[in-house]
Amino acid sequence: MLGLSAKDTGFLLFVTFLTLATPILLQPFPESSSLAQFNAGYPDLMQRFAIFGIFAIGFNILFGLTGYLSFGHAAFLGVGSYSVVWTYKLLSFNVLPGLILAIVLSGIFALFIGFVSLRRSGIYFSILTLAFAQMSYNLAYSVLTPLTNGETGLQVYGSDPQYLMGEGSPDVPNLFGLVMQDSMKVPVGDWVFTFNVGYYFTAVIAIFVFYISLRIFRSPFGLILRAIKTNRTRLNYAGINTRPYMLAAFVISGMYAGLAGGLLAAMDPLAGAERMQWTASGEVVLMTILGGAGTLMGPVLGAGFIKYFENIFSKINETVLHDWFGALPEPVRDFLIGIISPFVGDGWQLTLGLLFMLVVIFLPGGIMEGAKRIGSLFRRKPSQGGGSPAPKAPVEAAETSNQPAE
Amino acid sequence: MSDLKKGISRRQVIKTGLAGIVATGIAPTIITRAYGYTNEPTGSTVKFGFNVPQTGPYAAEGMDELRAQQLAVEHLNGEGDGGMLNTFSSKMLKGNGVLGKKVEFVTGDTQTKSDAARAAARSMIEKDGVVMINGGSSSGVAVAVQGLCQEAGIIFMAGLTHSNDTTGKDRKANGFRHFFDAYMSGAALAPVLAKAYGTDRQFYMLTADYTWGWTQADSMKTFLEAEGWNMVTDVRTPVGAGDFSSYITPVLQSGADTLILNHYGGDMINSLTQAVQFGLRDKQVNGKNFEIIVPLYSELMAEGAGENIKGVYGSMNWNWQLSDPGTQAFVKSFGEKFGAPPSNSAHTCYVQTLLYADAVERAGSFNPCAVVEALEDNTGSLEGISSASNKGFLFDGMGNGKTLYRSADHQCFKDVLVMKGKESPSNQYDVLEIVETTPVSQIYYEPDHEMFGGAEASLGTCNPGA
């Protein structure tokens, strides 16, 4: 189907199912239970999962396939956001023109940065991209204030022209009248599931770009990119000029980042310069490595993992811990809270850092490698006991059943 | 086998996809029927959201705001000694929660970044279901979060935000500010400075590069030039720069005899300390002593800057040393609970929380539009100011004397304090002295003033949400 092998089609369908069912899957705990704290099925976070998933998928096309580590992808994120907010200001709150502009502009921007940076490889390439991103950040932060509104962030004012605003057009981001922030809350017993327009909009786009990335991974073009990672010199000796391929990969991943940035502004009509800061560039590197660079699903899982930590773990403060351990005797309680509190709330980055270290040391292939190892444990058992399993089917099953790790 | 599998998953996908399409298609209609307004509280509790900087250059202010908000919730729920509930001129709050519902709160970290602040606010609105967001220690953040609350349909009670834009060109119907603004600082400070330092001064400004810094620099320039002072230059510095030495070195070569630091929080502590260490205040320029001015003061900054603050002029919204009963009640309960006097950022957040609760009681509903109407009120006006815009909700007993929540732009009007670093402080909290209480008539402006967006600026209409 769609030019994919049966196995890949199954994989894509599985990912599609997971993405569409996210509002239900991320809301596992009943509202009245104390574990409701860990529910993540609210629109803002789900949108972030999808958007940063797109960002990481795009980054993985460059880093995962070619091994070129860009430390400046946040610049494209920012370009995407600013273009969308500018179309709000000039045209209307319809997100579509903005998203197209975001992809085009970030593509052009990536073409320029890539053309210069790709003259070098390895650490020099990383430093060049980092330098460009920091430069863009500083430009957005102070020099280009009329264009970016500096630290305050670019936003839409009532006095903006908005030439395409009709009489009845909504004054919030929408797709031909379908308002992004609208949601439907469905109470089922003690659970409340929130189906949000914006989330499904980003989810459909995420599935589509995931499909494109799948095609790239399986294409001859993808093969050349992998070859560049393995031995670039050898490719050059074989008479293949690798730079156009590299530049294409760089531009594609820049466009993915621009799309992600545009979607951020499509969900929330504001663009801030800090989106371009080096920490944002570093974050997508972390996501990719944590999930598993070079795997299709890994970066998405990594993105979900980090955003979950950032939004859920950071909310567990001492009051919550007191609630949890309220039943224990006081010395034990204070001891437990004393131990745990540095790792939650403000300390969520500490926990994430520790996890990151553990993953890099023990699972260099990221979450995906962990999932594979667990999968292979389960696979061997029936084959030893049962005697005659079809050798191919379990591999396929493992490939898909690895996914629900999120 | 793989065919069978594909079939099943495809059917699942189509089913889920259809559900999704149906859901998105009918979502708006369902919501408007099911809910009167965003996050209507249905149980026996109501949730407030306190969004303050817990990390970054303004973190110290944010943590103090959080303490005050916690205290406000206690007082609303009838715990503690009641604080300003006893002195507040409106007697609707009885210490039994708000409209009989117990008040709970959730907190968020703005990190002093617009993006992070909006993410924290969205999660409080969508996940925790808050009806009001209060707090913030930066105007960039306040403007961003105010816009978000307007879109989401909840009330924003601004914390410390001093930019003219918050209730100027960026004013919103769902947003309210109790804190004073840069215009008021300039109007109150300039005459005092002219009296103290003469009318012939060359001043150099270092300005935090965002909405607050811009409007603050603009206001200071306007009012000081009206006193006959002359601006040498205005240099923009990034927020959270940490090291300001490269910005301070050129000051002495510029021929300026006065340095105005439009910085706040940790930034102001660093820039003032470095300016003093560079020996600026020991210099003589143009035959006059070199002077430093910090237009917006706070107790926490004064404490942080220590010795260097002595003799430096600035302005404040409120100070714990005031002697009115409201201030005394608040300082007493804050001091007993936390062991230190409250800062003016803490005060404004405490007052805003109570004002919101009072407005809900008077409106009889948490519906944002009803609350907006109650806060606008339009029955009160300040004495001694003859202007058509002088109407709104008039209250007293909250530490600033008679205060007007003006309905035209949702800005509070009250007296402004001109402060000066104490030469001989008696303890670590006693670092500032009140030089003058500038009467509100001197700092009053019209809502269509050009520094506040001119005639174009408008509140828009209140938004109750879905």
Side-chain angles (χ1 to χ4, degrees):
Chain A
M1 196 174 89
L2 297 167
L4 295 174
S5 66
K7 185 177 138 192
D8 281 345
T9 310
F11 183 36
L12 182 67
L13 288 178
F14 184 74
V15 170
T16 308
F17 166 74
L18 277 188
T19 316
L20 295 180
T22 295
I24 295 167
L25 296 176
L26 287 183
Q27 205 75 345
F29 306 110
E31 286 300 305
S32 55
S33 78
S34 59
L35 287 173
Q37 181 106 29
F38 290 104
N39 281 343
Y42 61 98
D44 181 52
L45 187 54
M46 291 191 295
Q47 289 163 6
R48 265 165 221 279
F49 282 156
I51 292 170
F52 282 90
I54 294 173
F55 190 21
I57 291 172
F59 184 76
N60 192 38
I61 291 178
L62 182 72
F63 177 55
L65 287 182
T66 70
Y68 273 56
L69 178 58
S70 161
F71 254 113
H73 257 53
F76 309 123
L77 199 71
V79 169
S81 290
Y82 283 124
S83 358
V84 168
V85 179
W86 267 110
T87 57
Y88 290 159
K89 287 169 89 80
L90 295 177
L91 304 176
S92 76
F93 271 112
N94 194 330
V95 297
L96 207 58
L99 288 178
I100 294 168
L101 183 72
I103 297 173
V104 171
L105 277 188
S106 53
I108 296 172
F109 198 53
L111 190 68
F112 168 69
I113 292 185
F115 185 76
V116 180
S117 308
L118 285 168
R119 296 184 167 266
R120 293 282 171 270
S121 61
I123 185 84
Y124 303 104
F125 169 78
S126 303
I127 296 290
L128 273 176
T129 49
L130 177 65
F132 272 114
Q134 270 310 86
M135 211 161 77
S136 322
Y137 165 68
N138 281 317
L139 283 176
Y141 197 88
S142 48
V143 184
L144 293 178
T145 302
L147 211 57
T148 61
N149 210 16
E151 215 257 58
T152 315
L154 191 64
Q155 32 192 315
V156 185
Y157 297 116
S159 54
D160 288 325
Q162 301 200 299
Y163 295 112
L164 294 184
M165 265 312 241
E167 274 299 300
S169 314
D171 55 356
V172 284
N174 65 85
L175 181 73
F176 301 110
L178 203 58
V179 175
M180 290 297 155
Q181 67 190 37
D182 274 346
S183 2
M184 181 176 67
K185 288 190 178 199
V186 181
V188 178
D190 200 10
W191 283 268
V192 178
F193 301 118
T194 312
F195 299 96
N196 173 264
V197 177
Y199 171 70
Y200 277 100
F201 179 66
T202 45
V204 168
I205 294 182
I207 293 166
F208 178 66
V209 300
F210 183 78
Y211 166 72
I212 295 180
S213 133
L214 191 64
R215 290 298 298 266
I216 291 177
F217 265 64
R218 303 286 186 252
S219 68
F221 171 66
L223 207 61
I224 295 241
L225 295 182
R226 275 181 226 256
I228 292 173
K229 184 181 190 176
T230 319
N231 197 336
R232 183 163 165 241
T233 325
R234 195 160 174 179
L235 273 183
N236 287 336
Y237 285 152
I240 297 169
N241 182 5
T242 53
R243 279 210 31 220
Y245 291 99
M246 292 296 310
L247 193 57
F250 192 84
V251 170
I252 292 172
S253 86
M255 287 161 93
Y256 267 75
L259 173 65
L263 282 171
L264 277 177
M267 296 303 117
D268 186 7
L270 174 125
E274 60 265 20
R275 254 171 224 180
M276 301 176 116
Q277 218 174 355
W278 67 272
T279 45
S281 298
E283 200 180 49
V284 72
V285 179
L286 288 191
M287 287 170 181
T288 312
I289 295 177
L290 194 64
T295 60
L296 273 163
M297 196 62 195
V300 183
L301 293 182
F305 207 77
I306 287 185
K307 286 293 147 191
Y308 186 83
F309 259 80
E310 186 180 320
N311 288 282
I312 304 292
F313 259 66
S314 64
K315 281 198 147 189
I316 305 172
N317 50 30
E318 285 207 17
T319 332
V320 178
L321 288 179
H322 273 281
D323 280 354
W324 286 354
F325 302 124
L328 296 169
E330 199 169 318
V332 184
R333 187 181 65 199
D334 289 349
F335 177 71
L336 278 176
I337 291 176
I339 288 199
I340 296 175
S341 61
F343 293 95
V344 294
D346 299 343
W348 66 272
Q349 280 163 316
L350 186 63
T351 318
L352 188 66
L354 285 174
L355 272 172
F356 187 71
M357 274 170 57
L358 290 178
V359 165
V360 170
I361 294 169
F362 297 107
L363 292 171
I367 299 173
M368 288 306 287
E369 186 181 328
K372 265 196 192 106
R373 283 195 198 174
I374 293 171
S376 63
L377 276 183
F378 282 105
R379 211 180 314 141
R380 216 155 282 155
K381 271 179 195 159
S383 68
Q384 282 161 358
S388 64
K392 267 218 157 169
V395 178
E396 185 182 302
E399 180 76 26
T400 46
S401 65
N402 286 343
Q403 313 323 322
E406 194 180 7
Chain B
M1 182 176 175
S2 83
D3 269 341
L4 177 66
K5 245 179 70 181
K6 207 162 69 181
I8 288 170
S9 16
R10 188 186 291 139
R11 189 176 306 146
Q12 276 176 332
V13 167
I14 290 170
K15 260 159 64 181
T16 330
L18 273 181
I21 289 161
V22 169
T24 47
I26 58 175
T29 45
I30 285 190
I31 271 207
T32 36
R33 276 172 207 156
Y35 301 91
Y37 50 90
T38 305
N39 294 337
E40 179 172 359
T42 46
S44 59
T45 60
V46 57
K47 254 186 203 159
F48 292 176
F50 297 137
N51 206 12
V52 301
Q54 299 175 34
T55 51
Y58 300 165
E61 308 284 335
M63 298 315 279
D64 212 44
E65 291 184 2
L66 207 52
R67 286 193 274 272
Q69 288 156 335
Q70 214 179 319
L71 193 68
V73 168
E74 274 179 25
H75 290 169
L76 287 175
N77 286 336
E79 296 154 21
D81 60 7
M84 280 189 185
L85 290 190
N86 306 318
T87 60
F88 188 21
S89 56
S90 170
K91 296 291 171 203
M92 295 295 287
L93 295 168
K94 303 276 187 263
N96 59 346
V98 181
L99 290 182
K101 293 182 193 295
K102 187 170 187 276
V103 181
E104 291 179 342
F105 67 94
V106 288
T107 63
D109 182 6
T110 69
Q111 302 174 26
T112 322
K113 291 179 183 168
S114 311
D115 252 8
R118 273 177 86 112
R122 282 191 71 189
S123 118
M124 289 196 275
I125 297 169
E126 293 173 358
K127 185 167 196 272
D128 304 312
V130 301
V131 290
M132 178 275 279
I133 287 182
N134 166 242
S137 193
S138 151
S139 293
V141 165
V143 168
V145 175
Q146 177 166 276
L148 178 83
C149 291
Q150 175 74 36
E151 286 157 23
I154 66 164
I155 295 285
F156 177 62
M157 301 298 280
L160 190 149
T161 157
H162 187 244
S163 167
N164 291 343
D165 291 347
T166 313
T167 51
K169 85 174 165 47
D170 297 333
R171 69 181 74 150
K172 292 285 190 307
N174 285 28
F176 291 86
R177 170 164 68 177
H178 169 265
F179 208 68
F180 71 145
D181 56 42
Y183 177 98
M184 298 180 184
S185 280
L189 263 176
V192 177
L193 293 175
K195 215 161 83 189
Y197 297 142
T199 52
D200 178 29
R201 283 254 171 190
Q202 307 286 321
F203 64 95
Y204 189 107
M205 292 204 280
L206 292 183
T207 299
D209 195 1
Y210 70 106
T211 171
W212 168 66
W214 303 334
T215 63
Q216 164 104 342
D218 199 24
S219 305
M220 288 309 288
K221 180 166 176 282
T222 308
F223 284 105
L224 287 175
E225 286 185 344
E227 297 287 346
W229 290 28
N230 188 25
M231 186 173 87
V232 178
T233 184
D234 173 17
V235 176
R236 303 277 163 91
T237 64
V239 180
D243 180 19
F244 290 92
S245 46
S246 61
Y247 296 104
I248 291 168
T249 328
V251 175
L252 278 178
Q253 278 96 49
S254 67
D257 50 32
T258 310
L259 174 64
I260 297 181
L261 293 173
N262 295 315
H263 287 155
Y264 192 72
D267 281 354
M268 174 267 166
I269 296 175
N270 288 338
S271 63
L272 178 65
T273 308
Q274 283 171 354
V276 172
Q277 280 167 355
F278 275 51
L280 255 52
R281 298 186 70 192
D282 311 325
K283 294 278 192 315
Q284 291 262 326
V285 184
N286 309 333
K288 303 183 197 77
N289 279 328
F290 194 98
E291 301 292 350
I292 300 178
I293 296 158
V294 179
L296 177 59
Y297 250 154
S298 125
E299 295 82 352
L300 300 169
M301 282 153 52
E303 274 173 48
E307 291 276 298
N308 303 320
I309 204 93
K310 283 181 184 171
V312 173
Y313 279 98
S315 65
M316 276 179 102
N317 185 51
W318 173 87
N319 187 277
W320 64 274
Q321 300 171 49
L322 288 168
S323 56
D324 60 286
T327 299
Q328 285 183 343
F330 176 53
V331 173
K332 178 168 165 284
S333 46
F334 192 94
E336 277 172 3
K337 191 163 167 66
F338 302 110
S343 67
N344 71 339
S345 47
H347 168 257
T348 200
C349 285
Y350 177 87
V351 172
Q352 283 278 71
T353 309
L354 294 197
L355 283 172
Y356 171 80
D358 172 65
V360 171
E361 287 281 355
R362 283 186 293 121
S365 158
F366 287 98
N367 188 325
C369 286
V371 176
V372 168
E373 212 171 288
L375 273 169
E376 287 181 346
D377 200 40
N378 271 334
T379 56
S381 63
L382 287 164
E383 283 166 35
I385 298 167
S386 59
S387 160
S389 65
N390 179 15
K391 58 178 197 249
F393 172 54
L394 190 73
F395 61 91
D396 200 354
M398 299 289 245
N400 300 93
K402 278 204 162 49
T403 307
L404 177 77
Y405 234 127
R406 188 163 75 178
S407 55
D409 57 358
H410 295 179
Q411 169 67 43
C412 269
F413 283 82
K414 52 201 167 350
D415 300 345
V416 169
L417 305 178
V418 175
M419 309 294 294
K420 190 179 165 188
K422 241 185 185 168
E423 293 293 349
S424 50
S426 56
N427 63 56
Q428 61 163 332
Y429 302 116
D430 178 31
V431 283
L432 296 169
E433 58 183 329
I434 301 169
V435 179
E436 187 196 277
T437 305
T438 308
V440 61
S441 57
Q442 194 185 319
I443 49 128
Y444 194 85
Y445 58 85
E446 292 302 318
D448 58 356
H449 190 280
E450 57 169 3
M451 276 192 206
F452 293 85
E456 274 186 4
S458 120
L459 286 169
T461 50
C462 85
N463 176 17

